[in-house]
Amino acid sequence: MNSNTQRIVITAVLTALLIAVGPLAVNIGPIPMTLQTLIIALVASVSSTRVSLTAIGLYLLLGAFGLPVFAGFKGGFVLLAGPTAGYLWSFLLFAPIIGLSFKRWANVWG
């Protein structure tokens, strides 16, 4: 397999992982608790920054188009502009921070 094929496959698998875990939520208040943050950290730590941003961007794009991939099996562009929008958009900032941190401090103490 060449580099581009590997990158596409890894991106698809990581996006599928986000889609599988994202809708599972415990509703406590206006913002539901999910495992999305853990999965975002996992995605950023096992892949390159480019792949993780592509996987997260694809996840947000699928949710914006209306697929029920967000917490509580919801979807639609309105969720990317509502009260939980900052949480969802922050995934795009969180992934590079985690990914670069893993690259810089690759040992246990880091």
Side-chain angles (χ1 to χ4, degrees), residues 87-100:
Y87 178 74
L88 294 170
W89 288 113
S90 70
F91 292 165
L92 293 172
L93 295 175
F94 182 55
I97 291 170
I98 293 295
L100 294 174

Side-chain angles (χ1 to χ4, degrees), residues 67-90:
L67 290 173
V69 297
F70 297 141
F73 293 96
K74 296 178 184 172
F77 185 74
V78 71
L79 293 173
L80 294 174
T84 60
Y87 178 74
L88 294 170
W89 288 113
S90 70

Side-chain angles (χ1 to χ4, degrees), residues 18-37 59-60 63 67-76 79-80 84 87-88 91:
L18 276 167
I19 290 170
V21 174
L24 307 175
V26 176
N27 291 325
I28 299 175
I31 299 175
M33 288 181 16
T34 66
L35 290 175
Q36 287 174 328
T37 309
Y59 170 73
L60 293 175
L67 290 173
V69 297
F70 297 141
F73 293 96
K74 296 178 184 172
L79 293 173
L80 294 174
T84 60
Y87 178 74
L88 294 170
F91 292 165

Side-chain angles (χ1 to χ4, degrees), residues 4-92:
N4 287 334
T5 305
Q6 286 177 337
R7 194 175 13 242
I8 291 169
V9 169
I10 292 170
T11 302
V13 168
L14 294 175
T15 304
L17 183 63
L18 276 167
I19 290 170
V21 174
L24 307 175
V26 176
N27 291 325
I28 299 175
I31 299 175
M33 288 181 16
T34 66
L35 290 175
Q36 287 174 328
T37 309
L38 175 69
I39 300 302
I40 295 295
L42 176 73
V43 165
S45 63
V46 300
S47 65
S48 68
T49 304
R50 179 179 174 187
V51 169
S52 63
L53 285 175
T54 305
I56 294 166
L58 185 59
Y59 170 73
L60 293 175
L61 188 66
L62 291 172
F65 283 141
L67 290 173
V69 297
F70 297 141
F73 293 96
K74 296 178 184 172
F77 185 74
V78 71
L79 293 173
L80 294 174
T84 60
Y87 178 74
L88 294 170
W89 288 113
S90 70
F91 292 165
L92 293 172

